[in-house]
């Protein structure tokens, strides 16, 4: 079954600050919480929270893991997912404990979307977390360590970058055999980066993800994953596929045009709409449904959606009422 996730706007993007949230002037947590609860009531399957330290208007972004913990207590059914949780932000031993705890308090609803890097370079430099060029080997070592802490009684580990000694990680994750591990690539990634990250995915990932990409770009990225799986003896179909992108949906061409005008007024340099529509989901109900089927035909099972009209709930509701039923 195809599932749909709501990407939580924890940073403001208006004024050209960030294209994910082009109409959001400021972050209001009560408003965000209410929207997440509405999304759950409408049938969305998951909520996703970004992991950055500086992002959007004036660099104001809520810390992602804290938000996920808060949302765990005001939702009952939706799964909770990090978006590109940055390995370099926190020691992996602490990450393992945090993830296990959140899986416990949410009754087994965590999806662990892990990333080698420390967000954007601005995050890294400002917080003293600059990458020394070892992000990829550190990442795979971190994955090994985290999986041991989730599965062994008191694991010890000594690698090139990380070490633990009899590290008790209780409570254990609720989910069995483990918390699902998601690893992603970018729609703008170089072929070499895709190759390197696909190698790691083929060894560790339960889910593959890509950020906004055309179907053609997605095919190329999936080919890299297929090659890595073949080289490492992993079944390609055993890794599930997901897509994170922006969406602007309206009931009519005139309504869609009004939303475009509002976005352009708030963000004069937002971009060429024809080019954006190659990577985003933009259009009326029929157009968005057709585009989703194109991606589903490539194997995508989960769509993680940034609603460009937020803080309005119009797109959120329209999508749930007129698009989602076609995929259930």
């Amino acid at each position: 079954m195809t599932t749909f996730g709501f990407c939580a706007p924890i940073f403001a993007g208006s004024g050209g600050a960030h294209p994910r949230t082009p109409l959001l002037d400021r972050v209001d947590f009560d408003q965000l919480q209410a929207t997440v609860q509405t999304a759950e009531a409408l049938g969305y399957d998951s909520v996703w929270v970004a992991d950055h330290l500086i992002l959007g208007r004036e660099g104001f972004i809520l810390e992602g893991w804290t938000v996920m913990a808060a949302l765990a207590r005001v939702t009952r059914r939706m799964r909770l997912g990090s978006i590109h949780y940055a390995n370099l932000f926190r020691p992996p031993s602490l990450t393992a404990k945090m993830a296990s705890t959140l899986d416990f308090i949410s009754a087994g609803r965590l999806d662990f979307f892990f990333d080698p890097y420390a967000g954007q370079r601005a995050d890294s430099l400002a917080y003293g977390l600059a990458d020394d060029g070892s992000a990829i080997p550190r990442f795979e070592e971190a994955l090994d360590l985290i999986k041991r802490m989730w599965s062994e009684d008191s694991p010890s580990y000594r690698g090139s970058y990380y070490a633990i000694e009899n590290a008790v990680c209780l409570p254990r994750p609720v989910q069995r055999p483990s918390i699902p591990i998601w690893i992603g690539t970018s729609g703008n990634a170089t072929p070499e980066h895709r190759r390197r990250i696909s190698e790691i995915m083929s060894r560790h990932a339960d889910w593959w993800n890509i950020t906004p990409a055309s179907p053609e770009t997605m095919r190329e990225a999936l080919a890299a994953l297929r090659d890595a799986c073949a080289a490492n003896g992993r079944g390609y179909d055993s890794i599930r596929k997901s897509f994170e992108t922006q969406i602007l949906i309206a009931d009519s061409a005139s309504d869609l045009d009004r939303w475009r005008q509002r976005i352009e007024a708030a963000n004069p340099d937002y971009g060429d709409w024809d080019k954006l529509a190659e990577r985003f989901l933009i259009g009326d109900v029929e157009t968005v449904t057709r585009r989703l089927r194109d991606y589903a035909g490539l194997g995508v099972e989960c769509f993680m959606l940034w609603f460009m009209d937020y803080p309005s709930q119009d797109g959120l509701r329209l999508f749930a009422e007129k698009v989602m039923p076609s995929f259930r």
Side-chain angles (χ1 to χ4, degrees):
M1 181 182 76
T2 304
T3 64
F4 298 97
F6 173 69
C7 294
I10 62 171
F11 54 90
S14 67
H18 203 284
R20 295 276 202 233
T21 56
L23 293 178
L24 186 60
D25 294 322
R26 68 180 185 87
V27 176
D28 180 321
F29 187 76
D30 289 340
Q31 180 184 60
L32 173 62
Q33 176 180 301
T35 305
V36 169
Q37 291 175 308
T38 297
E40 183 170 60
L42 288 169
Y44 287 84
D45 303 282
S46 52
V47 57
W48 298 86
V49 182
D51 191 35
H52 288 270
L53 303 174
I54 300 171
L55 196 68
R57 198 167 186 174
E58 299 178 347
F60 185 110
I61 181 171
L62 303 180
E63 196 282 318
W65 204 265
T66 310
V67 172
M68 290 171 64
L71 294 177
R73 305 309 295 166
V74 298
T75 55
R76 293 292 175 265
R77 178 188 54 78
M78 296 175 89
R79 294 189 64 79
L80 307 156
S82 52
I83 304 177
H84 297 278
Y85 177 99
N87 178 46
L88 296 183
F89 280 177
R90 309 161 189 88
S93 53
L94 176 61
T95 290
K97 179 71 172 182
M98 291 165 59
S100 183
T101 297
L102 187 52
D103 200 53
F104 178 79
I105 66 175
S106 68
R109 291 188 284 137
L110 178 62
D111 283 309
F112 182 62
F113 188 165
F114 202 30
D115 192 272
Y117 299 101
Q120 295 183 337
R121 189 161 179 78
D123 304 51
S124 308
L125 294 175
Y127 280 75
L129 303 168
D131 178 16
D132 62 1
S134 64
I136 294 291
R138 280 180 182 272
F139 180 62
E140 188 153 24
E141 196 169 290
L143 280 164
D144 286 333
L145 185 155
I146 288 167
K147 290 197 292 186
R148 289 193 189 192
M149 288 190 64
W150 286 348
S151 61
E152 298 179 13
D153 289 337
S154 55
S156 297
Y157 179 92
R158 186 162 299 278
S160 299
Y161 304 99
Y162 303 114
I164 54 174
E165 189 70 32
N166 297 322
V168 175
C169 186
L170 295 175
R172 288 277 183 84
V174 172
Q175 297 180 81
R176 293 289 183 265
S178 185
I179 298 169
I181 293 174
W182 298 54
I183 303 175
T185 186
S186 166
N188 299 318
T190 65
E192 175 58 20
H193 179 268
R194 282 202 188 118
R195 185 194 65 77
R196 294 182 71 190
I197 202 71
S198 293
E199 282 287 323
I200 297 175
M201 290 174 180
S202 70
R203 290 189 285 271
H204 296 279
D206 298 297
W207 281 85
W208 172 96
N209 180 266
I210 192 168
T211 58
S214 67
E216 292 73 21
T217 299
M218 184 177 286
R219 285 190 189 92
E220 295 172 3
L222 287 170
L225 177 66
R226 192 183 294 275
D227 290 345
C229 287
N232 289 298
R234 175 78 184 272
Y236 170 79
D237 291 333
S238 71
I239 300 176
R240 302 173 73 181
K241 319 302 188 297
S242 63
F243 180 37
E244 176 199 353
T245 193
Q246 277 104 295
I247 179 170
L248 183 65
I249 184 171
D251 236 342
S252 66
S254 59
D255 285 346
L256 188 68
D257 190 55
R258 278 194 288 272
W259 281 116
R260 285 175 176 167
Q261 290 177 21
R262 288 185 60 183
I263 290 171
E264 288 172 345
N267 308 268
D269 300 318
Y270 195 75
D272 181 325
W273 285 94
D274 288 336
K275 291 188 178 299
L276 294 175
E278 295 175 1
R279 301 180 295 117
F280 301 169
L281 301 171
I282 298 175
D284 59 15
V285 169
E286 182 180 353
T287 300
V288 169
T289 301
R290 174 177 52 78
R291 293 272 288 149
L292 286 169
R293 292 199 186 285
D294 290 342
Y295 288 107
L298 296 176
V300 173
E301 297 179 62
C302 176
F303 292 89
M304 301 153 59
L305 304 173
W306 292 92
F307 284 89
M308 294 160 65
D309 61 343
Y310 183 87
S312 167
Q313 293 185 1
D314 289 358
L316 183 80
R317 292 179 180 276
L318 179 63
F319 185 87
E321 292 166 1
K322 295 193 176 182
V323 178
M324 281 167 49
S326 299
F327 294 85
R328 297 306 198 190

